[in-house]
Amino acid sequence: MTVKWCGNFYECEIGHSPLDVIGWHGNYAPYKYDLRTFSPVGALLFDHPDPSIFTVMTAPSGEDGTANVDFVIFPERWLVAEHSFRPPWYHMNIMSEFMGLIYGRYDAKPDGFVPGGMSLHNCMLPHGPDLSAYQKAATEELKPRRLTDTLAFMFETRFPQQLTSYAASLATLQPDYGKCWDGLDRKFNGKP
Ligand SMILES: [Fe+2]
């Protein structure tokens, strides 16, 4: 079990799951929740609202518009917005965004973000859909479409996130991640 306290990680080994309890004393309460039962809200006519609409839990801060941490999911849902670019737009954010894909495909990076994969976009780092997601969203007919077989999560926090040396040296690190946006700087004509 690993616990983060005052910026440092502490680890201890226990012979059972910390969730295997019938009661819990203290400030932390383990809770098991099926994220597939969360009902998202979204755009019913046009536009792409800020992903904070998908917040499942939040630890608010004293600053309006920021949170110490939001836990957000992107579950199966209907896409119905007209005259809109439906995936997340290209943006920078004062909040740091740590994402992961639990299963299925993520619409903003359908081939470049596999289940078990994680991404970190620290505060004010520009990001957005990859080239193939852009091409699809920019050209497809905007009929109502149900996103199925997908569940992604995001921890969004006003604090910059630092990598551990372990994470920074993993063999699965994707050093060419930035290439997923190659081609977006050219004028898109449907055949880049
Ligand atoms: Fe983002």
Side-chain angles (χ1 to χ4, degrees), residues 2-10 28 160-162:
T2 304
V3 173
K4 188 176 183 183
W5 187 77
C6 281
N8 289 310
F9 287 103
Y10 297 86
Y28 298 105
Q161 298 298 290
Q162 296 181 349

Side-chain angles (χ1 to χ4, degrees), residues 42-172:
L44 296 178
L45 189 58
F46 60 86
D47 212 346
H48 178 97
D50 186 271
S52 58
I53 62 170
F54 295 115
T55 299
V56 179
M57 290 189 296
T58 185
S61 75
E63 299 265 345
D64 283 346
T66 69
N68 287 334
V69 62
D70 283 339
F71 176 65
V72 178
I73 63 166
F74 304 103
E76 295 190 2
R77 60 198 183 277
W78 280 95
L79 301 178
V80 298
E82 302 173 315
H83 313 298
S84 300
F85 184 70
R86 287 176 173 175
W89 57 72
Y90 298 94
H91 61 283
M92 298 185 288
N93 192 348
I94 195 67
M95 302 274 274
S96 299
E97 303 177 5
F98 175 74
M99 283 194 64
L101 183 61
I102 298 173
Y103 62 74
R105 302 181 93 197
Y106 177 62
D107 62 328
K109 292 189 177 68
D111 301 313
F113 197 44
V114 297
M118 291 171 282
S119 69
L120 173 63
H121 300 108
N122 252 320
C123 59
M124 302 312 289
L125 187 75
H127 58 281
D130 65 14
L131 179 64
S132 65
Y134 172 80
Q135 290 170 338
K136 183 170 184 293
T139 56
E140 73 176 349
E141 189 181 356
L142 294 183
K143 294 188 296 191
R145 182 165 68 89
R146 195 175 196 282
L147 273 184
T148 56
D149 188 30
T150 186
L151 183 61
F153 70 88
M154 179 164 73
F155 288 100
E156 210 179 22
T157 170
R158 68 192 178 114
F159 299 109
Q161 298 298 290
Q162 296 181 349
L163 290 182
T164 62
S165 55
Y166 174 79
S169 58
L170 280 173
T172 49

